Amino acid sequence: MKIVHLLTVFLFFISSATAQKVGLVLSGGGARGAAHIGVIKALEENNVPVDYITGTSIGAIVGSLYAMGYTPDEMLELLLSDEFGYWQTGVVGNEYIYYFKKPDETPQFMHFALNLEDSVFIDGILPGSIVNPIQMNQAFMGLYAQATAKSAWNFDNLFVPFRCMGADIYGKKAITFRNGDLGDAVRVSMTFPFVFNPIWKDGVPLFDGGIYDNFPIKVMKDDFNPDFIFGSAVRGGGLRPSRNPVNQIEPMIMQKTEYEVPEEDGMLLEMRLPDVFLLDFYKAKEVMQTGYDRTMALMDTIKARVKREVPLEDVMARRKAYKESLPPLKFTNIYVTGVTEAQRHYITAQLTHDINGDFTMEEFRRAYFKMLTYSKIKEIIPSAVYNWKNKTFDLYLAVKIKDEIKVSIGGNISSHQANQLFLGLEYQSLGETSADYNANFQMGNSFSGVSVDGRFFLSARIPGYVGFKLAYSNKNYSQSQSLFYEDLVPAFIKKRERYIKARYGFPFMQRSKVDVFAGIAVLTDLYYQTSSLADLDFDVSKYNLFSTGIRFERNSLDYRQYPTKGRQQLLIAQYITGNEQYRQGGRKYFTNVRKHEWLQLKGTWQNFPVMKNRFSLGLMGEAVYSTKKFSSNYTSTVLRASAFTPTPHSKISFNEAFRADSYIAAGVVPVIKLNDMFHFRMEAYGFVPLREIRKDAIGKNPTVYYKARYGDVFSSYQYMGEAALVLHLPFVSVSLFVNGYSYPKNNYNAGLNIGYLIFDSGFLD
């Protein structure tokens, strides 16, 4: 009996060794490669075995996923997931953005770097790649680390033996990846020039394998020599070229490839998909179905050539056993390279603040994005190496830091008096501690100013920073913008601020921060209170103030101006004290010194729910409460009252009807998304002062000077509305708008803005 049993086992191994082997070759082709998933699905469902896989670019992605145990349905789910979308765009999801380190908003729309340590002095005017690698670096490590460890860096030991292609453009040759880190190999194979940064190996930049070998049938023959080769090739073509620059790169870069499988070796399925371009992965489901249907149409021919069958149940059982044998993705040790000892100490300390002992991929991911958020660190390339002794992974972080000054340029180009120019300079240092330094310059019709600020991040168990800010600004309201009316009498207004402010900030959950602040300021208002403007100098009100308070801010809005989704919450509580001096126009000396002391609370809330069916209804609310008393006259009182300015145009228009010491306001913002860049929005707001600031005549000439008095509680209200067509480009916002205000009568405006009407914050903001 034992002899019979041994003979049976021997015959089984002999038959297995001589059984018909099938190789699958997958071409590159960007999003068109989703058809490969349909091919695999059809083969599996009809018991056609896949014993070896070779692939290039998207063929490498699909092939590698199958080679490490993914089912076709799991592959499709991944291609359609938000995570995959983040990988190909470099966008970081809101749940990982560390708002605490975010600098103040500026109107910049482009930037470049002055490199302080490289022969290339100016860097970054034109990016080396379209897609930021911040997502891809961590995602590929997490996706492929377990399979790499299981295979012991040998791709023959995967669930299905696998090969993929890269391109050495300096050596002008294709490179075959047979071993090493699986994630690195696939990453090279799909690194399309100008879209993704190259992957460097031994001092050589490597790119998409499709440049030299987009259909690796030769590698299949040389490495595996299967009995039957099934080739799946996807191509674009067609008569309608794309206007998208990214899609235009493909025919320029890729060399001509012959998609052929000789009759004696197997057969080829070639699919032309002219309406699917490089990054159209949102079409993955319909493209996969095309691959499935085309393969099913050939199934009788395939099965006539491939006699061997492997039931799908057997494949699923073997796949399940393979996945269960993968080591858990747990990390223990962290090793940081590419930095100084002081920088290594800081980075390690920051990481260990968030992760202690063994940690998961998700815990690392949060710490990783936190480290890279608004940081001097330009890139972190993580690698996971399995520690067979500890049965966990060691994490190696190759850190890239550049010593540079970031130069930002921006502002606004307008059809009305809102032309602005912005220049920003930023420098970051990293040693035992981290620090940010900024200098911002703005010049224009409405606002001019300069500010210098710095933040020093504390290396403590509870993250925090100490910061300072010095600012000087001058805000003007011209006659055409000024709505400060008494009949037809306009007022020219200039508001000047000089202040220094210190603050201590700390995070409040992932998307919020809290600042505790204190500062001193000199605020000067220059204004007219008479219709005979040529005969008088400005009246002047000057305030010497001290302020201290606390500020809570949470922000997930998608755009700095004209947001379409996300939420913002702002709450400021502060105590202000100081004195006011008043000088009447034409006089040399200040008179009427007043002492001021008040508490002020301000809360703002905006919410734009996630769009469904391209429509969203935004909601907005704002409330201010203040114990402030009147200034020397009506004009100076209104000038220092809080202003409700929810739209860009309202920020540059002085409208006394929308100013009060205390008020409540609310609005609705219907948004219709026309496509990924265009949207149409309507905004309607109501404004109700707690007690309206009104005028009382001073002396015998009531047309010249006024004092302030309060009206009855909730005795008045105002409203404003705006409609805008907005184009959000990656670097700038373009808006065409019309609006109207309830005061003064017939106050309607229309205009065009290219850029951002964002001004440096004031002392009491």
Side-chain angles (χ1 to χ4, degrees):
M1 182 64 68
K2 290 183 178 180
I3 294 175
V4 174
H5 179 69
L6 290 174
L7 182 60
T8 303
V9 173
F10 176 75
L11 291 174
F12 172 77
F13 279 110
I14 290 295
S15 64
S16 298
T18 59
Q20 188 181 29
K21 298 293 186 180
V22 178
L24 180 61
V25 181
L26 306 177
S27 76
R32 295 183 287 266
H36 298 324
I37 301 174
V39 171
I40 295 172
K41 183 178 178 67
L43 294 176
E44 275 200 349
E45 290 180 354
N46 288 274
N47 301 332
V48 178
V50 177
D51 300 295
Y52 314 106
I53 291 186
T54 61
T56 296
S57 193
I58 185 62
I61 295 176
V62 172
S64 65
L65 292 174
Y66 189 74
M68 61 183 193
Y70 272 63
T71 68
D73 289 341
E74 288 172 338
M75 287 188 274
L76 178 63
E77 182 181 358
L78 178 62
L79 261 59
L80 292 174
S81 66
D82 291 340
E83 288 76 11
F84 191 83
Y86 294 150
W87 302 352
Q88 59 176 312
T89 60
V91 173
V92 179
N94 283 334
E95 66 271 27
Y96 296 112
I97 295 177
Y98 195 42
Y99 189 71
F100 161 65
K101 295 179 70 175
K102 183 178 180 180
D104 295 335
E105 294 283 16
T106 69
Q108 75 165 56
F109 48 75
M110 67 168 290
H111 69 266
F112 59 90
L114 302 179
N115 200 318
L116 301 180
E117 60 183 10
D118 200 303
S119 58
V120 181
F121 184 60
I122 298 180
D123 185 25
I125 297 178
L126 294 176
S129 66
I130 295 173
V131 177
N132 188 329
I134 185 173
Q135 280 282 7
M136 203 83 75
N137 288 345
Q138 60 83 26
F140 269 55
M141 182 194 73
L143 185 62
Y144 290 102
Q146 293 164 281
T148 298
K150 171 70 175 176
S151 71
W153 292 51
N154 183 342
F155 298 170
D156 287 342
N157 297 331
L158 295 168
F159 175 67
V160 176
F162 171 73
R163 300 288 187 268
C164 66
M165 309 304 297
D168 174 1
I169 60 172
Y170 284 89
K172 299 186 183 303
K173 62 183 179 180
I175 297 174
T176 304
F177 289 97
R178 300 177 173 88
N179 47 49
D181 188 295
L182 180 61
D184 287 351
V186 176
R187 179 83 180 276
V188 169
S189 191
M190 51 76 63
T191 297
F192 200 79
F194 305 113
V195 178
F196 301 105
N197 283 332
I199 306 301
W200 291 77
K201 295 290 184 183
D202 301 322
V204 177
L206 304 180
F207 287 96
D208 192 307
I211 295 176
Y212 298 119
D213 188 354
N214 203 40
F215 188 66
I217 186 172
K218 185 177 186 300
V219 172
M220 175 63 75
K221 290 181 179 180
D222 293 345
D223 282 28
F224 300 121
N225 192 29
D227 301 293
F228 180 85
I229 297 174
F230 188 81
S232 176
V234 292
R235 303 178 68 175
L239 300 176
R240 184 177 62 84
S242 171
R243 296 182 182 273
N244 189 323
V246 175
N247 297 325
Q248 292 171 2
I249 294 172
E250 184 178 11
M252 292 189 291
I253 295 295
M254 309 302 283
Q255 296 190 8
K256 185 177 180 180
T257 298
E258 297 297 334
Y259 299 101
E260 293 182 353
V261 177
E263 176 66 23
E264 65 273 15
D265 293 329
M267 61 186 298
L268 172 70
L269 171 58
E270 186 173 8
M271 292 167 278
R272 287 189 176 273
L273 301 163
D275 294 325
V276 182
F277 292 104
L278 195 67
L279 300 179
D280 289 350
F281 284 98
Y282 66 93
K283 299 179 180 179
K285 187 174 182 178
E286 61 186 83
V287 174
M288 186 206 78
Q289 189 64 42
T290 299
Y292 179 84
D293 293 341
R294 293 287 301 276
T295 307
M296 290 300 294
L298 296 173
M299 191 53 63
D300 290 342
T301 305
I302 297 171
K303 291 180 75 66
R305 305 258 330 249
V306 180
K307 302 298 185 182
R308 172 171 161 251
E309 292 191 1
V310 177
L312 180 57
E313 294 78 9
D314 293 354
V315 175
M316 294 298 291
R318 192 165 65 89
R319 179 180 284 131
K320 182 175 182 293
Y322 174 83
K323 288 184 175 181
E324 290 176 349
S325 69
L326 295 174
L329 191 54
K330 283 276 190 177
F331 300 94
T332 299
N333 301 310
I334 302 174
Y335 302 95
V336 180
T337 61
V339 295
T340 66
E341 188 61 35
Q343 291 169 341
R344 181 182 296 108
H345 181 269
Y346 175 83
I347 293 170
T348 303
Q350 294 301 304
L351 287 170
T352 54
H353 285 168
D354 299 299
I355 49 181
N356 292 305
D358 291 354
F359 55 96
T360 65
M361 183 64 196
E362 178 61 23
E363 289 174 313
F364 165 68
R365 187 178 288 115
R366 292 189 177 278
Y368 166 85
F369 285 122
K370 184 182 291 187
M371 287 294 300
L372 286 168
T373 300
Y374 311 107
S375 171
K376 187 180 179 70
I377 301 173
K378 298 305 173 186
E379 190 174 7
I380 297 176
I381 303 176
S383 300
V385 178
Y386 191 62
N387 189 320
W388 293 92
K389 180 179 179 181
N390 297 335
K391 304 300 181 184
T392 60
F393 288 86
D394 292 334
L395 182 62
Y396 289 82
L397 303 178
V399 179
K400 295 182 179 180
I401 294 177
K402 286 187 178 180
D403 193 23
E404 61 188 21
I405 297 175
K406 177 182 171 183
V407 181
S408 301
I409 298 173
N412 191 70
I413 301 172
S414 176
S415 61
H416 54 288
Q417 297 189 35
N419 294 302
Q420 295 288 136
L421 177 65
F422 168 81
L423 173 66
L425 302 176
E426 177 186 354
Y427 179 76
Q428 296 175 313
S429 66
L430 179 61
E432 290 288 347
T433 59
S434 175
D436 297 346
Y437 306 92
N438 293 275
N440 294 327
F441 306 86
Q442 287 183 267
M443 181 174 64
N445 305 77
S446 296
F447 182 90
S448 297
V450 58
S451 66
V452 178
D453 68 82
R455 295 189 299 173
F456 303 89
F457 294 91
L458 308 176
S459 183
R461 182 65 186 171
I462 300 177
Y465 65 76
V466 175
F468 70 90
K469 182 174 183 178
L470 293 86
Y472 173 82
S473 66
N474 187 7
K475 192 166 187 178
N476 299 326
Y477 297 96
S478 66
Q479 183 175 1
S480 63
Q481 294 170 328
S482 177
L483 305 177
F484 203 142
Y485 279 90
E486 173 61 25
D487 296 326
L488 297 177
V489 180
F492 286 78
I493 301 165
K494 296 182 179 181
K495 295 168 66 69
R496 296 174 180 170
E497 294 195 3
R498 289 175 291 169
Y499 69 82
I500 180 171
K501 187 180 287 188
R503 57 179 174 166
Y504 169 70
F506 56 91
F508 185 79
M509 299 185 293
Q510 189 78 8
R511 292 290 295 166
S512 309
K513 66 177 180 179
V514 176
D515 280 344
V516 179
F517 60 85
I520 56 175
V522 177
L523 313 182
T524 306
D525 296 336
L526 298 89
Y527 49 92
Y528 286 117
Q529 296 190 84
T530 176
S531 58
S532 303
L533 303 182
D535 299 332
L536 293 173
D537 292 332
F538 284 107
D539 283 14
V540 179
S541 292
K542 184 177 180 181
Y543 304 83
N544 298 293
L545 301 178
F546 167 82
S547 170
T548 184
I550 186 168
R551 175 189 179 103
F552 167 84
E553 186 172 0
R554 176 183 177 87
N555 194 335
S556 61
L557 297 177
D558 56 346
Y559 297 112
R560 288 171 283 173
Q561 189 168 283
Y562 293 123
T564 63
K565 65 179 179 180
R567 178 182 296 179
Q568 181 192 37
Q569 295 164 286
L570 173 66
L571 180 63
I572 307 173
Q574 55 185 322
Y575 164 77
I576 304 107
T577 186
N579 62 71
E580 171 202 0
Q581 302 176 71
Y582 170 68
R583 186 184 70 198
Q584 188 175 336
R587 297 187 179 182
K588 296 182 179 180
Y589 304 103
F590 284 99
T591 59
N592 194 24
V593 177
R594 294 189 178 197
K595 175 73 175 178
H596 288 280
E597 183 177 26
W598 74 94
L599 296 174
Q600 184 167 299
L601 299 174
K602 180 178 181 179
T604 300
W605 175 81
Q606 293 186 76
N607 185 28
F608 291 84
V610 175
M611 286 193 175
K612 294 182 178 179
N613 299 323
R614 297 191 175 274
F615 176 79
S616 178
L617 182 63
L619 300 174
M620 185 269 187
E622 184 169 287
V624 174
Y625 176 76
S626 173
T627 61
K628 182 167 56 176
K629 296 181 179 180
F630 295 139
S631 296
S632 298
N633 54 66
Y634 167 78
T635 308
S636 60
T637 300
V638 173
L639 281 172
R640 279 297 144 193
S642 297
F644 178 60
T645 57
T647 65
H649 183 267
S650 64
K651 288 177 169 54
I652 62 167
S653 302
F654 192 95
N655 194 324
E656 60 183 312
F658 291 88
R659 286 176 170 257
D661 292 329
S662 302
Y663 65 81
I664 56 174
V668 293
V669 187
V671 177
I672 301 173
K673 195 169 185 180
L674 304 177
N675 58 35
D676 290 341
M677 294 190 296
F678 272 105
H679 79 263
F680 177 74
R681 66 196 291 126
M682 293 173 286
E683 305 183 45
Y685 301 97
F687 173 85
V688 182
L690 178 62
R691 300 181 71 183
E692 183 184 16
I693 301 174
R694 296 181 176 176
K695 305 173 185 176
D696 269 354
I698 298 177
K700 298 180 180 179
N701 188 353
T703 65
V704 178
Y705 299 114
Y706 298 92
K707 66 179 180 179
R709 67 178 178 85
Y710 280 133
D712 295 334
V713 175
F714 295 135
S715 60
S716 66
Y717 68 91
Q718 302 292 338
Y719 55 87
M720 70 173 76
E722 181 170 291
L725 181 64
V726 182
L727 170 63
H728 281 303
L729 296 172
F731 56 92
V732 74
S733 171
V734 181
S735 58
L736 182 65
F737 70 89
V738 294
N739 63 34
Y741 300 83
S742 58
Y743 177 88
K745 292 182 178 180
N746 301 317
N747 182 14
Y748 303 106
N749 307 274
L752 173 69
N753 285 319
I754 303 174
Y756 302 98
L757 280 171
I758 299 174
F759 306 124
D760 199 9
S761 59
F763 180 67
L764 299 179
D765 291 340

